Amino acid sequence: MTAAQTTTLGPDSDLSQIFELAQQLRVDSVRASTAAGSGHPTSSLSAADLMAVLMTRHLRYDWDAPDNPAGDHLVFSKGHASPLLYAMFKAAGVVSDDTLMTTYRRFGHRLQGHPTPVLPWVDVATGSLGQGIGYGVGIALAGRDLDKQPYRVWVLCGDSEMAEGSVWEALDKAGHYRLANFTAVVDVNRLGQCGPTELEWDTGTYARRIEAFGCRAIVIDGHDLQAIDQALTTAADGQAPTVVVARTVKGRGVAEVADKEGWHGKALPEDMADRAVVELGGVRNLHVRGPQPPAVTPAPIPAAGPIELPRFEVGGKVATRVAFGHALAALGARPDVVALDAEVGNSTHAQDFEKAHPERYFQTYIAEQQMIADAVGMAVRGYRPYATTFAAFLTRAHDFIRMAAVSQITMALCGTHSGVEIGADGPSQMGLEDLAMMRAVHGSTVLYPSDATSAAALTAAMAELDGISYLRTTRGPYPVLYDGDETFPVGGSKTLRHSPHDRVTLIGAGVTLHECLAAAEHLAAEDVPARVIDLYSLKPVDAGALAQAAQETGALVVVEDHHPEGGIGEAVLSALAATGSHPAFSHLAVTDLPGSGTTDELLDAAGISHPHIARAARALLGS
Amino acid sequence: MTAAQTTTLGPDSDLSQIFELAQQLRVDSVRASTAAGSGHPTSSLSAADLMAVLMTRHLRYDWDAPDNPAGDHLVFSKGHASPLLYAMFKAAGVVSDDTLMTTYRRFGHRLQGHPTPVLPWVDVATGSLGQGIGYGVGIALAGRDLDKQPYRVWVLCGDSEMAEGSVWEALDKAGHYRLANFTAVVDVNRLGQCGPTELEWDTGTYARRIEAFGCRAIVIDGHDLQAIDQALTTAADGQAPTVVVARTVKGRGVAEVADKEGWHGKALPEDMADRAVVELGGVRNLHVRGPQPPAVTPAPIPAAGPIELPRFEVGGKVATRVAFGHALAALGARPDVVALDAEVGNSTHAQDFEKAHPERYFQTYIAEQQMIADAVGMAVRGYRPYATTFAAFLTRAHDFIRMAAVSQITMALCGTHSGVEIGADGPSQMGLEDLAMMRAVHGSTVLYPSDATSAAALTAAMAELDGISYLRTTRGPYPVLYDGDETFPVGGSKTLRHSPHDRVTLIGAGVTLHECLAAAEHLAAEDVPARVIDLYSLKPVDAGALAQAAQETGALVVVEDHHPEGGIGEAVLSALAATGSHPAFSHLAVTDLPGSGTTDELLDAAGISHPHIARAARALLGS
């Protein structure tokens, strides 16, 4: 196999040239996956015609300047078709044939098994199916309503992933917001991983669903280059969000695998690959220079106004969710801060932002996965999203949050109504797993303020952090503990009570800190001086203060309104282990399934109220 | 307000009597929530007519025998309308007016803020929106394909929750499986928590979406009793899965709140409640005895065949996912065991069950939320579901798993392809958060076998556990460590190497156990005898063996193919803390974002390979 001479294709290339490009993408998909010994060539072959037309005539993109703000965005929701994407990179001239053949799926290289943003032409990591359309909607929303950029967003999806509910959350939003800059192309190749897909080639049903969800559907033969060209032209007419439903053949172009079961996710053995390359017309060296982004005069970036965080009077009772809302509204003075709500903004107080900055407030309704997808899309465009719902309901978006970490996205999440503290609404509404979930997210920061002053300060601190940060807030009002001039560095803590004679340290955050303070009063009355630490930063955690408390007091009681696993207690234990500290230790957390009741009843029933804390301290001290 | 004399309604009652019942449900919804001081009366008022007709003429249910296998199932997906549900319980005569007025939302009582199965008439906990339709589909599937019972499933949904993608995953399955025993009733009251819903009263769009997803849609005025009756009659005709789209008014019947914003989730103040009760015609005392379940001759329960677990030769290389598949197929000899797949059964090896027991294998395609919802529905009917996908993709269903715990469901989950061990596919496919997620689930059991023998034994053990159990398996083949006669009690561990002179203990599970064994060999060659513990049970964990190892060797190295938070390391630390053990401690886990590569490259890059383990041991020993 020798490479032919280089020919450059562009928007004016005719369809016969584009056919050659499609064959090249197929050949390179086969070669790259066979060279790697794994990958998804057949899933790449089905979409090669679609992508050949797109990149030659429709994708307005400067491959040498992926950060051009006017450039289109391409999201491979079917991330397993990475051989095709990387073959496109070769055709675009940004990845060499040698790199494709020798580094795909190899350790230490960028051409990973599924695309991630370690590649400058990739906005978001994919590979967990059903997410790309959501991200595309978020990027399109940012382009139209925030950036005011002329870019279009193109998403390539598989047909199997159309079974994910998240796809319909996303298309619903594309329709609802009338995102005419959004196009998805569904590669209906009929075969999933295990066999035929649910709808196989029933493109009519796909189209009816898409239309019912408010998008324009265009059904085509996904191997008819002219039909593809017409569909993409229509999609780009600026009239409506569009989904091109393309009937295709998995393994198209390679007779030995075309439309055959048992070839999902398998590289062709070398002899088959050789035959396939011959059948596809051999190795080519076509280059593509497609349409360029329109020249735009960059809009002046609005200056950030002064951020005046709310101040609260020490001793007054204010819920941390209220302080979060005030602070978020104040942060809106930064033009890059946006807020997203899943239709609970009046409970979470995210709505305070809407009142101050309605143009940067996005209502996703009760669709937490799409709320995170929108946030990711906006973060791709450089915004700093704050997405908020009840802590319990962030679990709905766990996979999106996990993938956002793989995408190395920076965004702030706030979960309100944490723990049994919420009272009468009962266990379905109590976030009792959120700390474990958010601590285990790669590169996350986890914050849990106990009073309004620290909640406001930490809300603001999140705007300076990289990666995914999480703020846990509480439903009820509790005393303000700190003066407005107090600072709350991420990774720090506050020691609220201490003396040289402390015999035990009580550690809490959120509602349990207030219980710790009450317990310390009781213990003081019994001549048991207790240190109290406000552990407002759980990741990173203030290992130094914890080690010091362990050394000086010898006994620690950690109390949390969360299940025992993965939360404050284990964060403290990890910190103590890392510092070689070995205090006597007691851990109070929610172990039984709670019901309804008042806050006090539920805290007490869970064994995390101040009498239980005092008792645990006494037990540690053997008194 | 005095109660009128008791009148009993039944299927032959005329619509004017049913109207009185609907008004009673409204009155009691208002009274109960006002007495509690919180709750969602307006969301109850909109659906009162729908439920009055349903319970009088269509719901074939013996309130005194909720376990009757032929009885219909009613799921309140809009769980916040609990005042209405509990008012129905009063009308059914199973809850007294006094109980309703004095215990709703109170501590220690069953009438919680959102319904849970602590009530015998409640199958599943709701309150996280968008889940009830999925559960209903699961129960309907069990009734038709497993139970062979004539029951119907009725689900009451809100309109806000139709924005959740999970609703469309579920309706897609209702249509795909042609579940003619399934009916959802959508209470389109136009107002959500924060204001108008996305579609408001656009019932036509709801209907188009429902039809496109394969269900029959019937649009009615949800306050027209005759229309409701006709719609429910049609729904029960056994022809098709049906969704009744009922246009309603939030707060219907109470002029001060009807169709008004700002009244979501608010109990009426007492004076308003008094006026509302008068407007609604006062307190009534109607009882309902609706249609009874058909008499069925119970089908003989098939006898369980002998379960012959696979046996593996010690030293042979077998992946734990393969052993899981073999064991699951063998467990199918129990007629209550069912398996669910999210279209990765050939990778997870759940497909082995399909080959052996196709009639109890359910393909949910790539829809993990619905896979769990189906499992929950089958568990409601007494089956023992095993639901399997990649560990990473179980995060997609986190909220469903969380709610299943609130429902006190018993089911087994298996997550395959855990950790960086998977190799070239990259981080999107690596479960690195699943242990944290599953440990923090209320009442869960978390198991992580290292070899085929223990994987098979633990797969079988899950069939005897209560609550949600989780088995983590590994992609690649590793040596079989145990003879088939070995037992693996849940909460136990295996000490694979030990001597009286052990200076350090290496603790792993899954792939890292094999790395620990290799590290122990290296250390032994350096005259550093190392104990090795296979920690196959993470929750509960073998605190005794860990404490003994801590005491006898003084130093522990814990190694896991998972992020550092919430996994094996913190499970060990919690156990050590609980036993007052204070060994020197080193924790190796995946801290950086991995890419593609071979297993060995990725284990080494993550710092969890045997050279790193040996180095950590030496560092602990200061050598």
Side-chain angles (χ1 to χ4, degrees):
Chain A
M1 300 186 294
T2 54
Q5 72 175 85
T6 302
T7 307
T8 299
L9 275 61
D12 298 328
S13 297
D14 62 30
L15 294 178
S16 66
Q17 290 174 294
I18 294 176
F19 173 77
E20 292 299 319
L21 172 65
Q23 295 294 81
Q24 170 174 314
L25 298 178
R26 289 189 167 97
V27 165
D28 291 343
S29 296
V30 168
R31 292 168 64 226
S33 47
T34 293
S38 67
H40 296 74
T42 58
S43 302
S44 298
L45 297 177
S46 57
D49 296 313
L50 296 162
M51 292 300 101
V53 177
L54 178 70
M55 79 180 294
T56 310
R57 291 195 174 174
H58 300 278
L59 184 75
R60 301 179 304 180
Y61 192 71
D62 184 347
W63 292 92
D64 298 321
D67 288 338
N68 183 328
D72 284 0
H73 293 261
L74 172 63
V75 176
F76 254 52
S77 188
K78 51 178 294 185
H80 55 287
S82 56
L84 174 61
L85 182 65
Y86 303 157
M88 292 168 70
F89 292 171
K90 175 192 147 182
V94 292
V95 161
S96 72
D97 190 75
D98 183 60
T99 298
L100 184 61
M101 292 307 129
T102 60
T103 73
Y104 177 48
R105 289 179 161 254
R106 306 315 198 280
F107 180 72
H109 291 282
R110 301 187 300 179
L111 301 184
Q112 297 182 13
H114 294 74
T116 78
V118 296
L119 291 155
W121 318 281
V122 173
D123 289 324
V124 284
T126 51
S128 181
L129 291 170
Q131 300 200 0
I133 291 190
Y135 298 141
V137 165
I139 297 168
L141 203 50
R144 193 192 63 180
D145 292 352
L146 294 170
D147 261 359
K148 321 279 185 190
Q149 288 288 351
Y151 63 73
R152 298 176 190 138
V153 180
W154 308 89
V155 182
L156 177 67
C157 314
D159 47 353
S160 277
E161 63 180 308
M162 301 302 276
E164 288 281 14
S166 54
V167 166
W168 302 99
E169 280 187 26
L171 289 180
D172 172 62
K173 289 300 170 299
H176 181 71
Y177 292 122
R178 295 187 167 74
L179 292 173
N181 56 348
F182 170 85
T183 300
V185 179
V186 187
D187 176 21
V188 185
N189 67 23
R190 196 186 72 82
L191 293 175
Q193 172 169 334
C194 294
T197 62
E198 199 175 343
L199 292 177
E200 302 203 29
W201 273 326
D202 182 0
T203 51
T205 294
Y206 283 118
R208 277 190 297 281
R209 293 181 181 189
I210 289 158
E211 298 272 3
F213 275 73
C215 298
R216 174 170 57 184
I218 303 175
V219 178
I220 59 168
D221 171 352
H223 303 303
D224 176 338
L225 299 182
Q226 188 156 1
I228 297 168
D229 191 45
Q230 284 175 353
L232 298 183
T233 301
T234 302
D237 68 4
Q239 298 301 306
T242 301
V243 182
V244 177
V245 180
R247 178 182 163 133
T248 62
V249 174
K250 195 161 180 170
R252 166 81 173 196
V254 178
E256 289 187 76
V257 297
D259 198 34
K260 291 217 171 47
E261 291 190 38
W263 281 101
H264 180 93
K266 288 183 186 160
L268 306 192
E270 279 187 25
D271 58 327
M272 277 182 72
D274 289 343
R275 290 194 295 274
V277 171
V278 171
E279 182 180 356
L280 290 164
V283 177
R284 295 164 182 79
N285 197 9
L286 302 173
H287 277 203
V288 177
R289 186 175 164 82
Q292 293 303 294
V296 292
T297 313
I301 296 166
I307 295 170
E308 292 191 25
L309 289 182
R311 295 178 75 93
F312 305 94
E313 198 163 335
V314 172
K317 283 192 168 186
V318 183
T320 50
R321 62 178 168 137
V322 170
F324 161 75
H326 288 354
L328 182 59
L331 276 176
R334 276 179 61 152
D336 58 345
V337 169
V338 298
L340 299 103
D341 175 24
E343 223 226 304
V344 285
N346 50 352
S347 290
T348 62
H349 287 265
Q351 223 172 47
D352 294 357
F353 188 94
E354 183 179 25
K355 288 170 193 149
H357 310 284
E359 75 287 358
R360 279 181 275 132
Y361 188 79
F362 295 88
Q363 180 55 266
T364 52
Y365 299 94
I366 302 183
E368 294 81 5
Q369 295 185 103
Q370 187 54 36
M371 176 173 73
I372 300 301
D374 281 339
V376 168
M378 292 170 187
V380 162
R381 294 300 311 138
Y383 293 89
R384 300 212 61 126
Y386 280 70
T388 307
T389 184
F390 285 25
F393 304 144
L394 279 173
T395 57
R396 187 68 70 102
H398 189 172
D399 194 28
F400 279 75
I401 297 168
R402 176 184 77 86
M403 287 297 295
V406 178
S407 291
Q408 300 186 258
I409 288 294
T410 287
M411 64 179 175
L413 307 179
C414 175
T416 67
H417 295 73
S418 52
V420 303
E421 190 275 347
I422 65 161
D425 274 328
S428 64
Q429 320 291 301
M430 295 169 175
L432 288 164
E433 311 79 0
D434 56 313
L435 293 177
M437 174 177 81
M438 292 307 308
R439 285 183 65 237
V441 168
H442 173 73
S444 66
T445 301
V446 179
L447 306 168
Y448 186 9
S450 301
D451 89 327
T453 300
S454 54
L458 294 169
T459 301
M462 291 165 93
E464 307 295 337
L465 295 172
D466 287 332
I468 298 171
S469 55
Y470 177 57
L471 187 82
R472 186 186 217 218
T473 66
T474 304
R475 180 176 183 271
Y478 294 90
V480 175
L481 301 170
Y482 303 105
D483 182 80
D485 295 329
E486 195 84 29
T487 59
F488 300 88
V490 170
S493 66
K494 294 286 175 190
T495 300
L496 282 167
R497 287 178 74 113
H498 69 107
S499 76
H501 312 295
D502 292 338
R503 296 178 57 202
V504 62
T505 302
L506 312 180
I507 300 168
V511 64
T512 62
L513 177 69
H514 297 275
E515 297 296 321
C516 287
L517 289 168
E521 289 288 333
H522 288 289
L523 292 166
E526 299 164 16
D527 278 334
V528 179
R531 185 169 300 187
V532 177
I533 292 180
D534 172 359
L535 204 65
Y536 64 80
S537 181
L538 297 178
K539 185 184 174 189
V541 71
D542 190 350
L546 293 168
Q548 187 182 349
Q551 190 189 349
E552 293 178 1
T553 72
L556 265 54
V557 180
V558 181
V559 198
E560 61 184 313
D561 194 358
H562 184 274
H563 288 152
E565 301 84 8
I568 305 179
E570 293 192 347
V572 169
L573 286 171
S574 280
L576 294 173
T579 54
S581 307
H582 298 126
F585 187 84
S586 181
H587 183 198
L588 307 182
V590 181
T591 53
D592 291 340
L593 185 63
S596 290
T598 65
T599 297
D600 285 346
E601 287 166 341
L602 293 169
L603 291 176
D604 205 56
I608 58 173
S609 60
H610 59 84
H612 287 278
I613 299 168
R615 198 174 306 145
R618 283 183 218 111
L620 277 188
L621 301 175
S623 61
Chain B
M1 300 186 292
T2 55
Q5 71 174 86
T6 301
T7 305
T8 298
L9 275 63
D12 297 330
S13 297
D14 63 29
L15 294 179
S16 66
Q17 290 174 295
I18 295 177
F19 173 76
E20 291 299 319
L21 172 64
Q23 295 294 81
Q24 169 174 313
L25 298 177
R26 290 189 166 95
V27 165
D28 291 344
S29 296
V30 168
R31 291 169 63 226
S33 48
T34 293
S38 67
H40 296 75
T42 58
S43 302
S44 298
L45 297 177
S46 57
D49 296 314
L50 296 162
M51 292 300 101
V53 176
L54 178 70
M55 80 180 294
T56 310
R57 292 194 173 173
H58 301 278
L59 184 76
R60 301 180 304 180
Y61 191 72
D62 183 349
W63 292 93
D64 298 320
D67 288 338
N68 184 327
D72 284 359
H73 292 261
L74 172 62
V75 176
F76 255 52
S77 188
K78 49 179 293 184
H80 55 287
S82 56
L84 173 61
L85 182 65
Y86 302 157
M88 293 168 71
F89 292 171
K90 175 192 148 183
V94 293
V95 160
S96 72
D97 190 75
D98 184 59
T99 298
L100 184 60
M101 291 308 129
T102 61
T103 72
Y104 177 48
R105 288 178 161 256
R106 305 315 198 281
F107 179 72
H109 291 283
R110 301 187 300 179
L111 301 184
Q112 297 181 13
H114 295 74
T116 78
V118 297
L119 291 155
W121 316 281
V122 174
D123 289 323
V124 284
T126 50
S128 182
L129 291 171
Q131 300 201 359
I133 291 190
Y135 298 140
V137 165
I139 298 169
L141 204 50
R144 193 192 63 181
D145 292 352
L146 294 170
D147 263 359
K148 322 278 186 194
Q149 289 287 350
Y151 64 71
R152 298 177 189 136
V153 180
W154 308 88
V155 181
L156 176 67
C157 313
D159 48 353
S160 277
E161 64 181 308
M162 302 301 277
E164 288 281 15
S166 54
V167 166
W168 302 99
E169 280 187 26
L171 289 180
D172 172 61
K173 289 301 170 299
H176 180 72
Y177 292 121
R178 296 187 166 75
L179 293 173
N181 56 348
F182 171 86
T183 300
V185 179
V186 187
D187 177 21
V188 185
N189 66 23
R190 197 188 69 85
L191 293 174
Q193 171 169 334
C194 294
T197 61
E198 199 174 343
L199 292 177
E200 302 204 29
W201 274 325
D202 183 0
T203 52
T205 293
Y206 283 118
R208 276 191 298 280
R209 293 182 181 188
I210 290 158
E211 298 273 2
F213 275 72
C215 299
R216 174 170 56 185
I218 304 175
V219 177
I220 59 168
D221 171 351
H223 302 305
D224 177 337
L225 299 182
Q226 189 157 1
I228 297 168
D229 190 44
Q230 283 176 354
L232 298 184
T233 301
T234 302
D237 69 3
Q239 297 303 305
T242 302
V243 182
V244 177
V245 180
R247 177 183 163 131
T248 62
V249 174
K250 195 161 179 170
R252 166 81 171 195
V254 178
E256 288 186 77
V257 297
D259 199 33
K260 290 214 171 46
E261 290 190 40
W263 281 101
H264 180 92
K266 287 184 186 159
L268 306 191
E270 279 188 24
D271 58 328
M272 277 182 73
D274 289 344
R275 290 195 296 274
V277 171
V278 171
E279 182 181 356
L280 291 164
V283 176
R284 296 164 182 78
N285 197 8
L286 301 174
H287 277 201
V288 176
R289 186 175 163 79
Q292 293 303 294
V296 292
T297 312
I301 296 167
I307 295 170
E308 293 191 24
L309 289 181
R311 295 177 74 94
F312 305 94
E313 199 164 335
V314 172
K317 283 192 169 187
V318 183
T320 51
R321 62 179 168 135
V322 170
F324 161 77
H326 288 353
L328 181 59
L331 276 177
R334 276 179 61 153
D336 58 346
V337 169
V338 298
L340 299 103
D341 174 23
E343 222 225 305
V344 285
N346 50 351
S347 290
T348 63
H349 288 265
Q351 222 172 48
D352 293 357
F353 188 95
E354 182 180 25
K355 288 170 194 151
H357 311 283
E359 74 289 358
R360 280 181 274 133
Y361 188 78
F362 295 87
Q363 180 55 267
T364 52
Y365 299 93
I366 303 184
E368 295 81 6
Q369 295 186 103
Q370 187 55 35
M371 177 173 72
I372 300 301
D374 281 340
V376 167
M378 292 170 187
V380 162
R381 295 300 311 137
Y383 292 90
R384 299 211 62 124
Y386 280 70
T388 307
T389 184
F390 285 25
F393 304 145
L394 280 173
T395 57
R396 187 67 71 100
H398 189 174
D399 195 27
F400 279 75
I401 297 168
R402 176 184 78 87
M403 287 298 295
V406 178
S407 290
Q408 299 185 258
I409 288 294
T410 287
M411 64 180 177
L413 307 179
C414 176
T416 67
H417 294 74
S418 52
V420 303
E421 190 275 345
I422 66 161
D425 274 327
S428 64
Q429 320 291 302
M430 296 169 175
L432 288 164
E433 312 78 0
D434 56 314
L435 294 176
M437 175 176 82
M438 291 307 309
R439 284 183 66 237
V441 168
H442 174 72
S444 66
T445 301
V446 180
L447 306 168
Y448 186 10
S450 300
D451 89 328
T453 301
S454 54
L458 294 170
T459 300
M462 291 165 94
E464 307 295 337
L465 296 173
D466 287 332
I468 298 171
S469 55
Y470 177 58
L471 186 83
R472 186 187 220 220
T473 66
T474 304
R475 180 177 184 273
Y478 293 90
V480 176
L481 301 170
Y482 303 105
D483 181 80
D485 296 327
E486 195 85 30
T487 59
F488 300 88
V490 170
S493 67
K494 294 286 175 191
T495 300
L496 282 167
R497 287 179 74 113
H498 69 108
S499 78
H501 313 294
D502 291 338
R503 295 177 59 203
V504 62
T505 303
L506 312 180
I507 300 168
V511 65
T512 62
L513 178 69
H514 296 275
E515 297 297 320
C516 286
L517 289 167
E521 289 288 334
H522 288 290
L523 291 167
E526 299 164 18
D527 277 335
V528 179
R531 184 168 299 187
V532 177
I533 293 181
D534 172 359
L535 204 65
Y536 64 80
S537 180
L538 297 179
K539 185 184 174 189
V541 71
D542 190 350
L546 294 169
Q548 188 181 347
Q551 192 189 347
E552 292 177 1
T553 73
L556 265 54
V557 179
V558 181
V559 197
E560 61 184 312
D561 194 358
H562 184 274
H563 288 152
E565 301 84 7
I568 306 178
E570 294 192 347
V572 169
L573 286 172
S574 280
L576 294 174
T579 54
S581 307
H582 297 126
F585 188 85
S586 180
H587 183 198
L588 307 182
V590 181
T591 52
D592 290 338
L593 185 64
S596 291
T598 65
T599 297
D600 285 346
E601 287 166 341
L602 292 169
L603 291 176
D604 205 56
I608 58 174
S609 61
H610 60 83
H612 287 277
I613 299 168
R615 198 173 307 146
R618 284 183 218 112
L620 277 188
L621 301 174
S623 61

